[in-house]
Amino acid sequence: MAADPKARQPVTMDTFLDGVWRENPVFVMLLGMCPVLAVTNSVANAIAMGLATTFVLLCSSALVSLLRNAIPKQVRIATYIVIIATFVTVVDYVIQAISLDLYNALGAFIQLIVVNCIILGRAEAYASRHRITASLVNSLGMGAGFSLALLCLGSVRELLGNGTLLGVAVFGERFQPWSIMILPPGGFFVLGAWLLLFAWLKERKARATQKGERIHGT
Amino acid sequence: MEHESLGFIFLNACIINNFVLSYFLGICPFLGVSGKLDTAWHMGLATAFVMLVSSLCAFAINTLLVQFELEYLRLICYIAVIASAVQLVEMVMKKFSPALFRALGIFLPLITTNCAILGLALFQTFREYSFLQSLVYSLGAGTGFTLAIVLMAGLRERLALAQVPTVSQGAALSLMLAGLLSLGFMGFAGLGG
């Protein structure tokens, strides 16, 4: 795999930005939906989950990239899973040590980072074919994109469902919270609404370029 | 948690706290494989079966790990057990029922990365269920998953005929639909006290 021409590609800003915007794991590729929906009932949870996932993503990408010539092809998936599970165990114990409240709020979802398809996807599709710097930058971008998506959902859900942002009341006394937003259905609705917004923006842009081409064509 | 009756555990895993609609576990196959009623049904059954097998294995492994005070290895062991359980199911099915094996195709290996299964193993460990309770819990979770994915597939088959704005086609509409379904299942909360 060392002879892969892609391994020689220079690291550009796009390596990072791809993950944040153009190939955003949640909004564009629809990966890792379970934690996105489950832990975004408050901004604090969303940030913690984003950081934990980014950490695991960075560490496992780095290790996979370093070992990419040593791992036999037949057992690569099993090897990736073991590497990821190791780092998740580390994160699990670290969060437990830092804040027990946070640990209880996130529950099993910290350990479930193992089966987050984003991480295994990155290991398989990127880290196993690129050098360590490129892999690190790329997974940092993916982690940022994932955290951004979590933040988008978490802020809307906490704002509407609880009337607060990071625990600080935003609206006046008379605000009636939409409790449905912090309950399970709210997760589906808010993510659906974000996807609608992005689809609408994309279509508007496509229509604008089409119009532009028509004007230039005549 | 010894006081929970088996019937309540089943009902809890299947309907009240449905794995897909209230714990958000296994969303990927729920959205990905729910296009057709037929495949959804097969997927649900296969997942339920793997759940049963891996839940029993996880119970055995956990007993062993607790005995040797190796709890920090739990996650790594569980994921290895699930991967091998899926492999085992695949081999057994290929030998004894090639027709079903062909019908499921690619979905079988993909069950490994279904978080509902790892979630089930972790939840039963956290709640310190006994052997029988774990068994019932995994049966309930499997039934609940099948129920959710079949319902979703039925709705989506009908929706395919409806006229919706082009912008909202695809994932956004499926999510809204899942939200409504989840809203319906919330009505079961409080059932069984």
Side-chain angles (χ1 to χ4, degrees), chain A residues 30 32-34 37-38 81-82 85-86 88-89 93 103 107-109 111-112 114-115 117 120 157 180 183-185 187-189 191-193 195-196 199-200 203, chain B residues 20-28 30-31 71-72 74-76 79 112-115 118-119 122-123 126 166-168 171-172 175-176 178-180 182-183 186:
Chain A
L30 299 178
M33 302 297 252
C34 306
L37 292 164
I81 288 269
V82 172
T86 313
V88 172
T89 312
Y93 279 89
Y103 182 76
F109 281 95
Q111 306 207 348
L112 285 174
V114 180
V115 280
C117 353
L120 192 61
R157 286 181 72 185
I180 196 78
L183 292 172
F188 286 115
F189 288 142
L191 184 56
L195 288 180
L196 265 184
W200 179 67
E203 192 179 273
Chain B
V20 178
L21 296 171
S22 79
Y23 284 150
F24 300 116
L25 296 172
I27 297 285
C28 307
F30 178 66
L31 292 178
E71 282 97 339
Y72 60 90
R74 190 183 284 148
L75 192 60
I76 299 179
I79 194 81
T112 315
T113 49
N114 185 339
C115 42
L118 185 62
L122 291 173
F123 282 139
F126 288 154
T166 39
V167 179
S168 66
L175 279 165
M176 290 292 176
L180 289 177
S182 161
L183 203 61
M186 256 179 64

Side-chain angles (χ1 to χ4, degrees), chain A residues 160-211:
Chain A
L160 293 179
N162 220 357
T164 60
L165 210 56
L166 270 172
V168 183
V170 176
F171 301 117
E173 293 261 309
R174 302 179 51 170
F175 177 70
Q176 186 73 41
W178 307 5
S179 1
I180 196 78
M181 282 302 164
I182 44 175
L183 292 172
F188 286 115
F189 288 142
V190 175
L191 184 56
W194 276 108
L195 288 180
L196 265 184
L197 180 71
F198 285 123
W200 179 67
L201 285 178
K202 209 164 133 192
E203 192 179 273
R204 222 175 59 146
K205 203 176 153 199
R207 211 178 290 157
T209 38
Q210 216 175 31
K211 210 187 245 172

Side-chain angles (χ1 to χ4, degrees), chain A residues 12-25 137-138 140-142 144-145:
Chain A
T12 57
M13 200 59 196
D14 273 352
T15 320
F16 176 74
L17 282 181
D18 263 0
V20 180
W21 189 245
R22 202 144 38 97
E23 288 178 16
N24 187 299
V137 173
N138 181 269
L140 197 65
M142 279 287 164

Side-chain angles (χ1 to χ4, degrees), chain A residues 116-160:
Chain A
N116 191 326
C117 353
I118 298 172
I119 299 175
L120 192 61
R122 279 299 97 188
E124 165 77 7
Y126 203 92
S128 63
R129 306 192 182 144
H130 291 75
R131 295 180 158 201
I132 180 162
T133 7
S135 310
L136 273 178
V137 173
N138 181 269
S139 50
L140 197 65
M142 279 287 164
F146 182 69
S147 309
L148 183 77
L150 282 173
L151 212 59
C152 282
L153 255 87
S155 47
V156 172
R157 286 181 72 185
E158 190 179 338
L159 201 62
L160 293 179

